């Protein structure tokens, strides 16, 4: 399985592959973030090769991702890259500009996908999120918004999560994103906190698709893995109950602190 | 010269006596700035003799320390008073002093502190009554905010008096707090909600409202001043029409009580609600005005202490209003601080505040409407149409949230974006959200100028990305 081509098609190009160099190229923030607690050699190599901006085939460096790596490393790496990128932008206005740049990179959403079922609830702006599970069981996302800044948020989230496994999607925590808040100074969940709302919607709808997938396969468990068990248990736990409820009183159905990268 | 500079230790021992002198002189005591924790500003509500050349906004600004700060590297320009107002130093002092010198539970104790607290709490109630010209302070029920006050009427009066087929008239421009409680109650009682739409001036159509009122109407619940459209409804006229068919009228005065003279006897409304935090008072307190005979007839809303007369195992008897509707320990300090806010506003004079805001509001409207691609909602100001001092607007091709974010990040200008708790209105206007700049008497022409310059910069910034 070659994920690199999939990444080309679906993911909006991350900053490191764009022609615009990052602000402080000399102080490369990518080397300053902490490694995950377990860090096999494969991950280090991937990190190094990600830095080869000069290589036109840079995306193929991501084929390292096909190597059996501990869950969540790829997604959490991308998350760290993005967080450190935003952290390096000390002027709030530069963050806004960066988000607007990312907004321009967002792949367009079909008009047919702009339906209320795809609306992300809890946002003051309108955000539509289309989510599918591909034939490999990976999550595919497309999004759009009537606000340019929200489009920028979606663009970033999709870069991190498009093509990720369901458990990687579930493993992202909202506090991981709090570093990237633009215009929302607080870290608490609120209507204006688009990052959180879109992430929660991605996670909630990932669960629905996993659930449907499991049911479709006659309820047989996914490939046996400790962490998959946790996912499966969760599917059979609180989410299942709430899916029977008619009125969705709360957008906080998911345990936001569920950490798969232990 | 009013007031005396005091060192804190002696002030402390003087404090209990200072209270008995009277609330107003208490609040005017100046503290030396090195000792004061919260504010060195004296009450500037006593207007200086050379006031003529300086606008009200400039004169009062020193009372609001929160306005003197920078956000994101720019001077703060606070244009969100319709969401919540800023509090002058005297209000903060009153709250602090309550907790520091005479905090005690009210209506229960016999000891000195408790008696003091009760006196001040009830004095605050009297101040509210006087402020809106209620005939009796017993007609003022303290609640957590206006939303709770409307819910009180809905669950207490509504559940008892609304029968299947009865009609409740609202407007499409109501705040959610004056829509949702009626929806909840109409579900339970079978009453029907009817909405008045806007006319071509983007104001609720009063002619249609008159037509809608029928013998089936039991309640008309309307805003006084709209928090989005800035329009002002002719409440007296509406009350006459409603009373003709025996219907009651509830006035949501959240955007009017802080900004102009509101006289409940003149309006002849049955219920009126307002929140403290929009009128220079603290959050956590609001009030319901209800005509005595109405409140007498209403069953309790929340049950607990204070609202009872006698409690037995199988039943209880209830207290007289307003206590009947005030279960549990109230927000005592907050009520007293609300009283201080009312004192502060009254010293400036509500007519003066209103006059200043009409002028500043016109200035804001004029400057905003001069910008290209800006669409302001609500009626155009004219001789006969006085808008509230706020403008909800949209800029062509720019989402209000993006606009507000940029204004905040780049210019330190605080406005609101979203649906302002008026989703039905926005749907009616055909938009998802709008931006809103709202003024209060501590804003100045310079604030409006800064806002307009910042807005023009914002629009050109986003246009450069297109």
């Amino acid at each position: 399985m070659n994920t690199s081509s999939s990444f080309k098609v679906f993911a909006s190009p991350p900053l490191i592959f764009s022609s615009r160099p990052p602000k402080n190229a000399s102080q490369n923030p990518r080397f300053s973030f902490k490694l995950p607690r377990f860090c096999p050699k494969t991950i280090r190599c991937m990190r190094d090769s990600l830095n080869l901006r000069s290589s036109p085939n840079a995306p193929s460096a991501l084929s390292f991702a096909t190597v059996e790596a501990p869950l969540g490393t790829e997604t959490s790496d991308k998350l760290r890259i993005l967080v450190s990128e935003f952290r390096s932008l000390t002027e709030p206005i530069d963050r806004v500009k960066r988000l607007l740049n990312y907004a321009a990179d967002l792949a367009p959403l079909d008009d047919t996908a702009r339906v209320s079922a795809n609306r992300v609830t809890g946002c003051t702006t309108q955000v539509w999120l289309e989510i599918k599970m591909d034939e490999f069981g990976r999550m595919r996302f497309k999004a759009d918004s009537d606000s340019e800044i929200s489009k920028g948020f979606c663009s970033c989230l999709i870069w991190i999560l498009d093509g990720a496994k369901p458990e990687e999607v579930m493993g992202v925590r909202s506090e991981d994103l709090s570093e990237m808040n633009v215009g929302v100074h607080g870290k608490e969940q609120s209507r204006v906190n688009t990052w959180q709302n879109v992430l929660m919607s991605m996670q909630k709808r990932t669960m629905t698709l996993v659930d449907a997938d499991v049911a479709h396969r006659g309820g047989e468990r996914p490939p046996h893995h400790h962490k998959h068990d946790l996912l499966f248990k969760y599917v059979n736990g609180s989410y299942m109950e709430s899916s029977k409820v008619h009125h969705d009183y709360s957008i906080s159905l998911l345990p936001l602190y569920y950490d798969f990268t232990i | 010269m009013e007031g005396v500079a005091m060192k804190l230790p002696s002030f402390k021992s003087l404090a209990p006596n200072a209270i008995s002198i009277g609330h107003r002189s208490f609040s005017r005591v100046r503290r030396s700035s090195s000792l004061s924790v919260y504010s060195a500003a004296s009450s500037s509500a006593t207007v200086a003799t050379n006031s003529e050349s300086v606008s009200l906004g400039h004169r009062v600004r020193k009372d609001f320390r929160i306005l003197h700060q920078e956000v994101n590297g720019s001077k703060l320009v606070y244009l969100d008073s319709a969401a919540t107002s800023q509090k002058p130093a005297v209000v903060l002092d009153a709250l602090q002093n309550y907790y520091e010198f005479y905090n005690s539970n009210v209506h229960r104790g016999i000891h000195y502190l408790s008696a003091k607290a009760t006196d001040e709490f009830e004095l605050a109630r009297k101040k509210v009554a006087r402020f809106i010209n209620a005939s009796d302070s017993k007609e003022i029920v303290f609640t957590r905010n206006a939303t709770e006050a409307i819910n009180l009427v809905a669950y207490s009066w509504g559940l008892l008096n609304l029968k299947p087929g009865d009609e409740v008239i609202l407007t499409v421009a109501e705040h959610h707090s004056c829509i949702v409680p009626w929806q909840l109650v109409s579900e339970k009682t079978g009453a029907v909600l009817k909405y008045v739409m806007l006319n071509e001036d983007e104001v609720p159509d009063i002619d249609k409202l008159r037509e809608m009122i029928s013998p089936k109407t039991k309640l008309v619940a309307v805003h006084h001043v709209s928090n989005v459209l800035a329009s002002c409804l002719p409440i007296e006229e509406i009350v006459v029409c409603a009373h003709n068919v025996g219907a009651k009228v509830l006035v949501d005065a959240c955007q009017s009580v802080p900004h102009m003279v509101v006289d409940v006897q003149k309006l002849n409304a049955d219920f009126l609600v307002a929140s403290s935090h929009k009128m220079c008072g603290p959050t956590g307190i609001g009030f319901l005005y209800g005509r005595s005979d109405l409140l007498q007839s209403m069953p309790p809303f929340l049950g607990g202490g204070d609202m009872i007369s006698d409690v037995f195992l199988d039943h209880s008897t209830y207290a007289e209003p307003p206590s009947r509707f005030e279960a549990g320990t109230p927000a005592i300090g907050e009520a007293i601080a609300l009283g201080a806010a009312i004192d502060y506003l009254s010293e400036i004079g509500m007519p003066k505040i209103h006059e200043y805001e009409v002028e500043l509001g016109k200035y804001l409207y004029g400057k905003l409407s001069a910008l290209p691609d800006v669409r302001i909602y609500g009626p155009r100001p004219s001789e006969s149409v006085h808008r509230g001092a706020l403008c909800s607007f949209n800029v062509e091709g720019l989402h209000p949230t993006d606009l507000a974010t940029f204004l905040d990040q780049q210019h330190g200008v605080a406005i609101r974006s979203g649906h302002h708790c008026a989703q039905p209105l926005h749907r009616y206007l055909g938009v998802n959200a709008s931006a809103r700049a709202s003024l209060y008497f501590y804003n100045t022409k310079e604030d409006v100028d800064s806002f307009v310059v910042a807005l023009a910069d914002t629009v050109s910034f986003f246009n450069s990305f297109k």
Side-chain angles (χ1 to χ4, degrees), chain A residues 92-93 97 100-101 124-126 146-149 183 185, chain B residues 72 399 401-402 405-406 408-410 432 461-462 465:
Chain A
I93 196 57
K97 285 183 186 162
L100 294 180
N101 283 331
T124 50
T125 62
Q126 290 189 100
D146 56 355
S147 147
E148 291 300 305
I149 293 178
H185 302 273
Chain B
N72 299 323
H399 195 280
T401 302
D402 292 348
T405 303
F406 189 89
D408 168 60
Q409 300 281 298
Q410 188 72 342
N432 283 302
F461 172 83
F462 279 96
F465 272 88

PDB file of all heavy atoms in Angstrom, chain A residues 92-93 97 100-101 124-126 146-149 183 185, chain B residues 72 399 401-402 405-406 408-410 432 461-462 465:
ATOM      1  N   PRO A  92      -0.059  37.848  16.565  1.00  0.00           N
ATOM      2  CA  PRO A  92      -1.369  37.243  16.263  1.00  0.00           C
ATOM      3  C   PRO A  92      -1.766  37.441  14.810  1.00  0.00           C
ATOM      4  O   PRO A  92      -2.363  36.562  14.196  1.00  0.00           O
ATOM      5  CB  PRO A  92      -2.330  37.976  17.202  1.00  0.00           C
ATOM      6  CG  PRO A  92      -1.491  38.483  18.307  1.00  0.00           C
ATOM      7  CD  PRO A  92      -0.138  38.759  17.737  1.00  0.00           C
ATOM      8  N   ILE A  93      -1.394  38.601  14.241  1.00  0.00           N
ATOM      9  CA  ILE A  93      -1.837  38.874  12.875  1.00  0.00           C
ATOM     10  C   ILE A  93      -1.161  37.906  11.892  1.00  0.00           C
ATOM     11  O   ILE A  93      -1.735  37.551  10.858  1.00  0.00           O
ATOM     12  CB  ILE A  93      -1.566  40.358  12.500  1.00  0.00           C
ATOM     13  CG1 ILE A  93      -2.379  40.731  11.261  1.00  0.00           C
ATOM     14  CG2 ILE A  93      -0.080  40.622  12.257  1.00  0.00           C
ATOM     15  CD1 ILE A  93      -3.862  40.518  11.425  1.00  0.00           C
ATOM     16  N   LYS A  97      -2.850  35.540   9.074  1.00  0.00           N
ATOM     17  CA  LYS A  97      -2.388  35.484   7.671  1.00  0.00           C
ATOM     18  C   LYS A  97      -2.066  34.054   7.279  1.00  0.00           C
ATOM     19  O   LYS A  97      -2.392  33.603   6.175  1.00  0.00           O
ATOM     20  CB  LYS A  97      -1.138  36.355   7.497  1.00  0.00           C
ATOM     21  CG  LYS A  97      -1.400  37.842   7.481  1.00  0.00           C
ATOM     22  CD  LYS A  97      -0.115  38.617   7.241  1.00  0.00           C
ATOM     23  CE  LYS A  97      -0.378  40.109   7.364  1.00  0.00           C
ATOM     24  NZ  LYS A  97       0.859  40.870   7.555  1.00  0.00           N
ATOM     25  N   LEU A 100      -5.174  32.210   6.615  1.00  0.00           N
ATOM     26  CA  LEU A 100      -5.780  32.600   5.343  1.00  0.00           C
ATOM     27  C   LEU A 100      -5.042  31.954   4.175  1.00  0.00           C
ATOM     28  O   LEU A 100      -5.655  31.581   3.169  1.00  0.00           O
ATOM     29  CB  LEU A 100      -5.802  34.122   5.205  1.00  0.00           C
ATOM     30  CG  LEU A 100      -6.694  34.863   6.202  1.00  0.00           C
ATOM     31  CD1 LEU A 100      -6.639  36.358   5.965  1.00  0.00           C
ATOM     32  CD2 LEU A 100      -8.127  34.392   6.130  1.00  0.00           C
ATOM     33  N   ASN A 101      -3.720  31.802   4.311  1.00  0.00           N
ATOM     34  CA  ASN A 101      -2.964  31.085   3.280  1.00  0.00           C
ATOM     35  C   ASN A 101      -3.425  29.641   3.172  1.00  0.00           C
ATOM     36  O   ASN A 101      -3.617  29.107   2.086  1.00  0.00           O
ATOM     37  CB  ASN A 101      -1.460  31.121   3.597  1.00  0.00           C
ATOM     38  CG  ASN A 101      -0.845  32.458   3.253  1.00  0.00           C
ATOM     39  OD1 ASN A 101      -1.305  33.144   2.346  1.00  0.00           O
ATOM     40  ND2 ASN A 101       0.185  32.842   3.985  1.00  0.00           N
ATOM     41  N   THR A 124     -20.056  29.420  15.376  1.00  0.00           N
ATOM     42  CA  THR A 124     -20.763  30.630  14.963  1.00  0.00           C
ATOM     43  C   THR A 124     -20.651  30.823  13.461  1.00  0.00           C
ATOM     44  O   THR A 124     -21.467  31.486  12.856  1.00  0.00           O
ATOM     45  CB  THR A 124     -20.209  31.881  15.662  1.00  0.00           C
ATOM     46  OG1 THR A 124     -18.782  31.876  15.508  1.00  0.00           O
ATOM     47  CG2 THR A 124     -20.552  31.875  17.127  1.00  0.00           C
ATOM     48  N   THR A 125     -19.608  30.258  12.855  1.00  0.00           N
ATOM     49  CA  THR A 125     -19.542  30.299  11.395  1.00  0.00           C
ATOM     50  C   THR A 125     -20.148  28.995  10.875  1.00  0.00           C
ATOM     51  O   THR A 125     -20.323  28.045  11.621  1.00  0.00           O
ATOM     52  CB  THR A 125     -18.094  30.405  10.909  1.00  0.00           C
ATOM     53  OG1 THR A 125     -17.395  29.236  11.346  1.00  0.00           O
ATOM     54  CG2 THR A 125     -17.411  31.622  11.486  1.00  0.00           C
ATOM     55  N   GLN A 126     -20.443  28.970   9.587  1.00  0.00           N
ATOM     56  CA  GLN A 126     -20.967  27.726   9.007  1.00  0.00           C
ATOM     57  C   GLN A 126     -19.791  26.878   8.537  1.00  0.00           C
ATOM     58  O   GLN A 126     -18.948  27.371   7.783  1.00  0.00           O
ATOM     59  CB  GLN A 126     -21.851  28.030   7.796  1.00  0.00           C
ATOM     60  CG  GLN A 126     -23.157  28.698   8.157  1.00  0.00           C
ATOM     61  CD  GLN A 126     -24.071  28.766   6.959  1.00  0.00           C
ATOM     62  OE1 GLN A 126     -24.977  27.968   6.818  1.00  0.00           O
ATOM     63  NE2 GLN A 126     -23.807  29.704   6.072  1.00  0.00           N
ATOM     64  N   ASP A 146     -18.004  29.347   5.410  1.00  0.00           N
ATOM     65  CA  ASP A 146     -18.262  30.682   4.870  1.00  0.00           C
ATOM     66  C   ASP A 146     -17.287  31.701   5.469  1.00  0.00           C
ATOM     67  O   ASP A 146     -17.287  32.866   5.088  1.00  0.00           O
ATOM     68  CB  ASP A 146     -19.723  31.107   5.110  1.00  0.00           C
ATOM     69  CG  ASP A 146     -20.118  31.049   6.578  1.00  0.00           C
ATOM     70  OD1 ASP A 146     -19.306  30.589   7.415  1.00  0.00           O
ATOM     71  OD2 ASP A 146     -21.244  31.451   6.891  1.00  0.00           O
ATOM     72  N   SER A 147     -16.463  31.250   6.397  1.00  0.00           N
ATOM     73  CA  SER A 147     -15.480  32.163   6.989  1.00  0.00           C
ATOM     74  C   SER A 147     -14.085  31.730   6.557  1.00  0.00           C
ATOM     75  O   SER A 147     -13.762  30.541   6.612  1.00  0.00           O
ATOM     76  CB  SER A 147     -15.597  32.115   8.515  1.00  0.00           C
ATOM     77  OG  SER A 147     -14.337  32.308   9.130  1.00  0.00           O
ATOM     78  N   GLU A 148     -13.289  32.667   6.104  1.00  0.00           N
ATOM     79  CA  GLU A 148     -11.959  32.324   5.611  1.00  0.00           C
ATOM     80  C   GLU A 148     -11.084  31.750   6.722  1.00  0.00           C
ATOM     81  O   GLU A 148     -10.305  30.824   6.510  1.00  0.00           O
ATOM     82  CB  GLU A 148     -11.277  33.572   5.016  1.00  0.00           C
ATOM     83  CG  GLU A 148     -11.913  34.059   3.718  1.00  0.00           C
ATOM     84  CD  GLU A 148     -11.866  32.998   2.634  1.00  0.00           C
ATOM     85  OE1 GLU A 148     -10.769  32.488   2.319  1.00  0.00           O
ATOM     86  OE2 GLU A 148     -12.940  32.644   2.109  1.00  0.00           O
ATOM     87  N   ILE A 149     -11.205  32.318   7.917  1.00  0.00           N
ATOM     88  CA  ILE A 149     -10.371  31.835   9.030  1.00  0.00           C
ATOM     89  C   ILE A 149     -10.762  30.402   9.385  1.00  0.00           C
ATOM     90  O   ILE A 149      -9.905  29.539   9.619  1.00  0.00           O
ATOM     91  CB  ILE A 149     -10.486  32.778  10.245  1.00  0.00           C
ATOM     92  CG1 ILE A 149      -9.859  34.131   9.893  1.00  0.00           C
ATOM     93  CG2 ILE A 149      -9.806  32.195  11.467  1.00  0.00           C
ATOM     94  CD1 ILE A 149      -9.954  35.160  11.005  1.00  0.00           C
ATOM     95  N   GLY A 183      -7.534  34.359  17.581  1.00  0.00           N
ATOM     96  CA  GLY A 183      -8.728  35.140  17.846  1.00  0.00           C
ATOM     97  C   GLY A 183      -9.575  34.560  18.949  1.00  0.00           C
ATOM     98  O   GLY A 183     -10.555  35.153  19.346  1.00  0.00           O
ATOM     99  N   HIS A 185      -8.847  33.603  22.558  1.00  0.00           N
ATOM    100  CA  HIS A 185      -7.732  33.592  23.492  1.00  0.00           C
ATOM    101  C   HIS A 185      -7.858  32.508  24.533  1.00  0.00           C
ATOM    102  O   HIS A 185      -6.902  31.933  24.985  1.00  0.00           O
ATOM    103  CB  HIS A 185      -7.634  34.959  24.189  1.00  0.00           C
ATOM    104  CG  HIS A 185      -7.463  36.067  23.193  1.00  0.00           C
ATOM    105  ND1 HIS A 185      -6.249  36.457  22.735  1.00  0.00           N
ATOM    106  CD2 HIS A 185      -8.368  36.832  22.557  1.00  0.00           C
ATOM    107  CE1 HIS A 185      -6.405  37.437  21.863  1.00  0.00           C
ATOM    108  NE2 HIS A 185      -7.670  37.692  21.733  1.00  0.00           N
TER     109      HIS A 185
ATOM    110  N   ASN B  72      -3.507  43.036  22.591  1.00  0.00           N
ATOM    111  CA  ASN B  72      -2.786  42.703  21.356  1.00  0.00           C
ATOM    112  C   ASN B  72      -1.980  43.887  20.837  1.00  0.00           C
ATOM    113  O   ASN B  72      -1.867  44.092  19.639  1.00  0.00           O
ATOM    114  CB  ASN B  72      -3.768  42.232  20.271  1.00  0.00           C
ATOM    115  CG  ASN B  72      -4.508  40.987  20.692  1.00  0.00           C
ATOM    116  OD1 ASN B  72      -3.947  40.114  21.347  1.00  0.00           O
ATOM    117  ND2 ASN B  72      -5.783  40.903  20.344  1.00  0.00           N
ATOM    118  N   HIS B 399     -16.890  37.406   6.264  1.00  0.00           N
ATOM    119  CA  HIS B 399     -17.660  36.823   7.362  1.00  0.00           C
ATOM    120  C   HIS B 399     -17.449  37.660   8.624  1.00  0.00           C
ATOM    121  O   HIS B 399     -16.314  38.035   8.937  1.00  0.00           O
ATOM    122  CB  HIS B 399     -17.225  35.383   7.604  1.00  0.00           C
ATOM    123  CG  HIS B 399     -18.194  34.625   8.449  1.00  0.00           C
ATOM    124  ND1 HIS B 399     -18.236  34.736   9.827  1.00  0.00           N
ATOM    125  CD2 HIS B 399     -19.179  33.759   8.112  1.00  0.00           C
ATOM    126  CE1 HIS B 399     -19.209  33.973  10.284  1.00  0.00           C
ATOM    127  NE2 HIS B 399     -19.784  33.357   9.278  1.00  0.00           N
ATOM    128  N   THR B 401     -17.305  36.948  11.642  1.00  0.00           N
ATOM    129  CA  THR B 401     -16.354  36.406  12.617  1.00  0.00           C
ATOM    130  C   THR B 401     -14.922  36.717  12.203  1.00  0.00           C
ATOM    131  O   THR B 401     -14.079  37.037  13.041  1.00  0.00           O
ATOM    132  CB  THR B 401     -16.541  34.880  12.755  1.00  0.00           C
ATOM    133  OG1 THR B 401     -17.885  34.620  13.146  1.00  0.00           O
ATOM    134  CG2 THR B 401     -15.620  34.317  13.802  1.00  0.00           C
ATOM    135  N   ASP B 402     -14.644  36.610  10.910  1.00  0.00           N
ATOM    136  CA  ASP B 402     -13.309  36.966  10.428  1.00  0.00           C
ATOM    137  C   ASP B 402     -13.035  38.435  10.704  1.00  0.00           C
ATOM    138  O   ASP B 402     -11.940  38.827  11.128  1.00  0.00           O
ATOM    139  CB  ASP B 402     -13.203  36.709   8.916  1.00  0.00           C
ATOM    140  CG  ASP B 402     -13.249  35.232   8.577  1.00  0.00           C
ATOM    141  OD1 ASP B 402     -13.126  34.403   9.510  1.00  0.00           O
ATOM    142  OD2 ASP B 402     -13.410  34.890   7.393  1.00  0.00           O
ATOM    143  N   THR B 405     -12.442  38.995  14.387  1.00  0.00           N
ATOM    144  CA  THR B 405     -11.143  38.443  14.781  1.00  0.00           C
ATOM    145  C   THR B 405     -10.025  39.406  14.405  1.00  0.00           C
ATOM    146  O   THR B 405      -9.142  39.699  15.200  1.00  0.00           O
ATOM    147  CB  THR B 405     -10.907  37.096  14.075  1.00  0.00           C
ATOM    148  OG1 THR B 405     -11.971  36.217  14.397  1.00  0.00           O
ATOM    149  CG2 THR B 405      -9.592  36.481  14.498  1.00  0.00           C
ATOM    150  N   PHE B 406     -10.074  39.901  13.172  1.00  0.00           N
ATOM    151  CA  PHE B 406      -9.037  40.816  12.723  1.00  0.00           C
ATOM    152  C   PHE B 406      -9.058  42.112  13.511  1.00  0.00           C
ATOM    153  O   PHE B 406      -8.023  42.642  13.913  1.00  0.00           O
ATOM    154  CB  PHE B 406      -9.206  41.090  11.226  1.00  0.00           C
ATOM    155  CG  PHE B 406      -8.058  41.840  10.632  1.00  0.00           C
ATOM    156  CD1 PHE B 406      -6.965  41.162  10.129  1.00  0.00           C
ATOM    157  CD2 PHE B 406      -8.056  43.229  10.583  1.00  0.00           C
ATOM    158  CE1 PHE B 406      -5.903  41.847   9.578  1.00  0.00           C
ATOM    159  CE2 PHE B 406      -6.992  43.923  10.042  1.00  0.00           C
ATOM    160  CZ  PHE B 406      -5.903  43.234   9.537  1.00  0.00           C
ATOM    161  N   ASP B 408      -9.957  42.557  16.472  1.00  0.00           N
ATOM    162  CA  ASP B 408      -9.404  42.317  17.801  1.00  0.00           C
ATOM    163  C   ASP B 408      -7.886  42.139  17.750  1.00  0.00           C
ATOM    164  O   ASP B 408      -7.144  42.774  18.487  1.00  0.00           O
ATOM    165  CB  ASP B 408     -10.066  41.072  18.403  1.00  0.00           C
ATOM    166  CG  ASP B 408      -9.348  40.591  19.645  1.00  0.00           C
ATOM    167  OD1 ASP B 408      -9.249  41.353  20.620  1.00  0.00           O
ATOM    168  OD2 ASP B 408      -8.843  39.447  19.628  1.00  0.00           O
ATOM    169  N   GLN B 409      -7.442  41.284  16.837  1.00  0.00           N
ATOM    170  CA  GLN B 409      -6.031  40.931  16.794  1.00  0.00           C
ATOM    171  C   GLN B 409      -5.152  42.102  16.359  1.00  0.00           C
ATOM    172  O   GLN B 409      -4.065  42.302  16.884  1.00  0.00           O
ATOM    173  CB  GLN B 409      -5.822  39.771  15.801  1.00  0.00           C
ATOM    174  CG  GLN B 409      -6.581  38.513  16.163  1.00  0.00           C
ATOM    175  CD  GLN B 409      -5.881  37.726  17.244  1.00  0.00           C
ATOM    176  OE1 GLN B 409      -4.776  37.267  17.076  1.00  0.00           O
ATOM    177  NE2 GLN B 409      -6.541  37.572  18.380  1.00  0.00           N
ATOM    178  N   GLN B 410      -5.639  42.845  15.392  1.00  0.00           N
ATOM    179  CA  GLN B 410      -4.799  43.888  14.814  1.00  0.00           C
ATOM    180  C   GLN B 410      -5.040  45.267  15.416  1.00  0.00           C
ATOM    181  O   GLN B 410      -4.145  46.102  15.430  1.00  0.00           O
ATOM    182  CB  GLN B 410      -5.062  43.933  13.290  1.00  0.00           C
ATOM    183  CG  GLN B 410      -4.141  44.832  12.500  1.00  0.00           C
ATOM    184  CD  GLN B 410      -2.737  44.247  12.394  1.00  0.00           C
ATOM    185  OE1 GLN B 410      -2.337  43.377  13.147  1.00  0.00           O
ATOM    186  NE2 GLN B 410      -1.975  44.729  11.445  1.00  0.00           N
ATOM    187  N   ASN B 432     -26.492  34.449   8.154  1.00  0.00           N
ATOM    188  CA  ASN B 432     -26.191  33.527   9.239  1.00  0.00           C
ATOM    189  C   ASN B 432     -25.697  34.232  10.478  1.00  0.00           C
ATOM    190  O   ASN B 432     -25.867  33.760  11.590  1.00  0.00           O
ATOM    191  CB  ASN B 432     -25.112  32.534   8.793  1.00  0.00           C
ATOM    192  CG  ASN B 432     -25.690  31.487   7.901  1.00  0.00           C
ATOM    193  OD1 ASN B 432     -26.608  30.782   8.286  1.00  0.00           O
ATOM    194  ND2 ASN B 432     -25.200  31.414   6.689  1.00  0.00           N
ATOM    195  N   PHE B 461      -7.618  44.420   4.111  1.00  0.00           N
ATOM    196  CA  PHE B 461      -6.771  43.252   4.374  1.00  0.00           C
ATOM    197  C   PHE B 461      -7.359  42.006   3.753  1.00  0.00           C
ATOM    198  O   PHE B 461      -6.690  41.248   3.047  1.00  0.00           O
ATOM    199  CB  PHE B 461      -6.600  43.071   5.878  1.00  0.00           C
ATOM    200  CG  PHE B 461      -5.911  41.797   6.275  1.00  0.00           C
ATOM    201  CD1 PHE B 461      -4.530  41.716   6.274  1.00  0.00           C
ATOM    202  CD2 PHE B 461      -6.632  40.662   6.642  1.00  0.00           C
ATOM    203  CE1 PHE B 461      -3.885  40.541   6.632  1.00  0.00           C
ATOM    204  CE2 PHE B 461      -6.004  39.492   7.002  1.00  0.00           C
ATOM    205  CZ  PHE B 461      -4.620  39.430   6.995  1.00  0.00           C
ATOM    206  N   PHE B 462      -8.641  41.770   4.025  1.00  0.00           N
ATOM    207  CA  PHE B 462      -9.250  40.550   3.498  1.00  0.00           C
ATOM    208  C   PHE B 462      -9.410  40.614   1.984  1.00  0.00           C
ATOM    209  O   PHE B 462      -9.319  39.602   1.303  1.00  0.00           O
ATOM    210  CB  PHE B 462     -10.592  40.279   4.193  1.00  0.00           C
ATOM    211  CG  PHE B 462     -10.429  39.626   5.531  1.00  0.00           C
ATOM    212  CD1 PHE B 462     -10.416  40.374   6.691  1.00  0.00           C
ATOM    213  CD2 PHE B 462     -10.250  38.256   5.627  1.00  0.00           C
ATOM    214  CE1 PHE B 462     -10.238  39.771   7.927  1.00  0.00           C
ATOM    215  CE2 PHE B 462     -10.071  37.642   6.869  1.00  0.00           C
ATOM    216  CZ  PHE B 462     -10.065  38.404   8.012  1.00  0.00           C
ATOM    217  N   PHE B 465      -6.549  39.253   0.028  1.00  0.00           N
ATOM    218  CA  PHE B 465      -6.365  37.815  -0.073  1.00  0.00           C
ATOM    219  C   PHE B 465      -7.224  37.206  -1.168  1.00  0.00           C
ATOM    220  O   PHE B 465      -7.120  36.020  -1.467  1.00  0.00           O
ATOM    221  CB  PHE B 465      -6.695  37.129   1.260  1.00  0.00           C
ATOM    222  CG  PHE B 465      -5.510  37.055   2.172  1.00  0.00           C
ATOM    223  CD1 PHE B 465      -5.233  38.096   3.043  1.00  0.00           C
ATOM    224  CD2 PHE B 465      -4.653  35.974   2.142  1.00  0.00           C
ATOM    225  CE1 PHE B 465      -4.138  38.051   3.873  1.00  0.00           C
ATOM    226  CE2 PHE B 465      -3.550  35.914   2.974  1.00  0.00           C
ATOM    227  CZ  PHE B 465      -3.284  36.962   3.851  1.00  0.00           C
TER     228      PHE B 465
END
